Amino acid sequence: SSEVLEAIENVIQGVLQSLAQKKAPVLTVANRTDWRNIEFKDSVGLQMIPDCTTKQIRSDCPQSARRFALMLKILSMIYRMVQSNTYATKRDIYYSDTLLFGTQSVVDQIINDISCMLKIPRRSLHVLSTTKGFVAGNLSYTEEDGTKVNCTCSATAVTVPSNVQGIKNLTSHAKFILIVEKDATFQRLLDDDFFSKVSPCIMITGRGIPDLNTRLLVRKLWDSFQIPIFTLMDADPHGVEIMCVYKYGSVSMSFEAHHLTVPSVKWLGLLPSDLERLNICKDALIPFTKQDENKLASILKRPYITCQPLWKKELEIMAASKLKAEIQVLTSLSSDYLSRVYLPNKLQFRGWL
């Protein structure tokens, strides 16, 4: 915590020095969303280059003065929280003054900018993300406050903890981890008791694009157990994008890649080639939108696709057919096809990429 306080004090000292010299104070932050500032490393995923381009948030410029003020406001809130050892969610910060901040996304972006500027992970700033992910299956752990959590005996899923760094005593006999894109599929597998029928496993869903805590938990489970991690996504560009976030990270959080990515993640399904192999009726598939075409074209250009020739092949099948499918399409074969046939066969015959 002393490191965090010192980093904030240095920023404020810079502001005061500028004022003393009758200069307009400036905050310098990295261009987090520029692909030119990103390098791809097989072992880490997408990470920010050390000498990346920056942008200035000036206090004397109408376009950025408000953002400058909001950054100082949030820095002061973080400083007080670290000093008093209290925590707040990004939502708490937004609701502390909704008129001032305007929208939640403004708060989210500023907190990420501050984390990147100070080179300090967000958790160490005492800012917690609101969790939306669920975990179930063969896993138990102790939360930071001493609460024991057992996901194994629970008929319903457990919410991913809001302070993943603080959990300890993780124990599991799981043979693999299954990341499920959607909540509906996750609940279906839970109802079918999938995690104990085939072999003991841990199931996680970020319920769409994963929040930070869900990604941190996947990484923590990988560090703790070193067991295979599989993804179950829709056969569409959006599903592929989500899988890439778990595996290689995102551009906007590339400065924290080391804590968030798991490059060993495997694509289990739903593969575009599965649709042909299983003779899925064309009427059950959904035609691409213009947005789907653009998303797929952008994914195919990304640096990590060149080192995944089998993934590239699948994406090319999708691009050629201009058709996509949700995991639920398997119910057209039979209501429990996913948990009774599809997943057990995939796992037994190593049908992943």
Side-chain angles (χ1 to χ4, degrees):
S1 63
S2 59
E3 207 179 298
V4 181
L5 296 175
E6 193 182 333
I8 296 173
E9 284 161 9
N10 288 340
V11 170
I12 302 306
Q13 204 170 356
V15 169
L16 293 174
Q17 275 167 353
S18 297
L19 290 170
Q21 293 161 6
K22 298 199 164 31
K23 289 181 188 164
V26 167
L27 296 173
T28 305
V29 297
N31 267 333
R32 287 188 298 111
T33 53
D34 190 337
W35 272 93
R36 288 170 300 186
N37 286 333
I38 309 299
E39 63 178 355
F40 170 64
K41 261 200 177 153
D42 241 356
S43 57
V44 181
L46 301 174
Q47 60 177 12
M48 194 171 265
I49 57 174
D51 49 352
C52 65
T53 60
T54 56
K55 56 184 178 187
Q56 290 194 327
I57 298 169
R58 303 188 60 86
S59 57
D60 61 346
C61 169
Q63 282 84 11
S64 61
R66 185 171 180 275
R67 195 171 186 86
F68 179 91
L70 292 181
M71 280 186 82
L72 288 192
K73 166 78 175 168
I74 292 178
L75 275 168
S76 76
M77 293 172 86
I78 290 169
Y79 192 86
R80 279 200 298 275
M81 289 191 299
V82 175
Q83 266 188 326
S84 59
N85 197 25
T86 53
Y87 287 82
T89 64
K90 293 185 298 183
R91 210 162 172 69
D92 295 334
I93 291 173
Y94 167 61
Y95 278 111
S96 69
D97 200 332
T98 52
L99 281 176
L100 176 70
F101 294 121
T103 65
Q104 178 71 60
S105 66
V106 167
V107 173
D108 297 355
Q109 282 169 9
I110 287 176
I111 287 164
N112 285 342
D113 276 342
I114 287 173
S115 174
C116 186
M117 176 177 74
L118 301 178
K119 294 186 169 50
I120 288 169
R122 198 163 77 194
R123 312 170 283 299
S124 306
L125 301 177
H126 286 228
V127 178
L128 304 172
S129 308
T130 312
T131 294
K132 65 184 178 94
F134 288 134
V135 58
N138 196 294
L139 174 69
S140 58
Y141 55 85
T142 309
E143 289 203 342
E144 197 181 26
D145 62 0
T147 309
K148 287 184 167 54
V149 178
N150 188 350
C151 306
T152 315
C153 61
S154 169
T156 54
V158 171
T159 307
V160 167
S162 58
N163 188 359
V164 174
Q165 293 311 104
I167 66 173
K168 48 190 183 290
N169 307 332
L170 286 89
T171 53
S172 175
H173 302 294
K175 296 285 183 278
F176 62 91
I177 295 162
L178 183 66
I179 300 171
V180 183
E181 177 187 348
K182 282 188 183 139
D183 191 27
T185 311
F186 180 86
Q187 297 297 340
R188 181 67 210 247
L189 290 172
L190 207 56
D191 293 344
D192 290 349
D193 204 17
F194 173 76
F195 64 80
S196 56
K197 267 185 187 160
V198 180
S199 67
C201 74
I202 299 166
M203 294 196 315
I204 291 183
T205 180
R207 298 163 77 194
I209 296 168
D211 59 285
L212 196 70
N213 293 327
T214 305
R215 290 173 63 188
L216 283 168
L217 183 62
V218 171
R219 176 63 199 237
K220 185 147 189 143
L221 293 173
W222 164 248
D223 289 338
S224 304
F225 305 123
Q226 302 276 310
I227 52 178
I229 301 181
F230 302 116
T231 56
L232 181 62
M233 306 279 152
D234 287 341
D236 67 9
H238 189 63
V240 174
E241 171 100 286
I242 289 170
M243 173 171 61
C244 292
V245 168
Y246 284 107
K247 187 175 174 76
Y248 296 124
S250 58
V251 173
S252 63
M253 292 298 288
S254 57
F255 63 96
E256 266 210 65
H258 287 271
H259 310 286
L260 293 172
T261 60
V262 186
S264 61
V265 162
K266 300 278 187 281
W267 187 4
L268 187 70
L270 188 61
L271 302 178
S273 59
D274 289 340
L275 303 174
E276 211 167 281
R277 184 175 60 82
L278 296 171
N279 248 337
I280 301 285
C281 169
K282 280 270 196 293
D283 296 344
L285 305 179
I286 308 159
F288 260 26
T289 62
K290 189 76 192 129
Q291 205 179 355
D292 290 324
E293 283 182 43
N294 295 341
K295 168 83 74 189
L296 187 55
S298 118
I299 293 171
L300 279 162
K301 286 193 197 110
R302 291 188 193 163
Y304 44 69
I305 295 299
T306 48
C307 70
Q308 290 286 355
L310 296 176
W311 282 31
K312 192 168 186 232
K313 217 169 170 180
E314 293 292 332
L315 299 182
E316 283 164 353
I317 293 172
M318 202 191 290
S321 73
K322 291 196 175 171
L323 292 169
K324 57 184 182 177
E326 298 186 330
I327 298 162
Q328 284 84 338
V329 80
L330 296 176
T331 55
S332 66
L333 300 172
S334 77
S335 63
D336 58 352
Y337 191 85
L338 175 67
S339 57
R340 188 176 53 83
V341 183
Y342 182 81
L343 288 174
N345 281 350
K346 280 265 179 177
L347 293 161
Q348 188 182 345
F349 300 111
R350 302 176 67 83
W352 56 81
L353 304 177

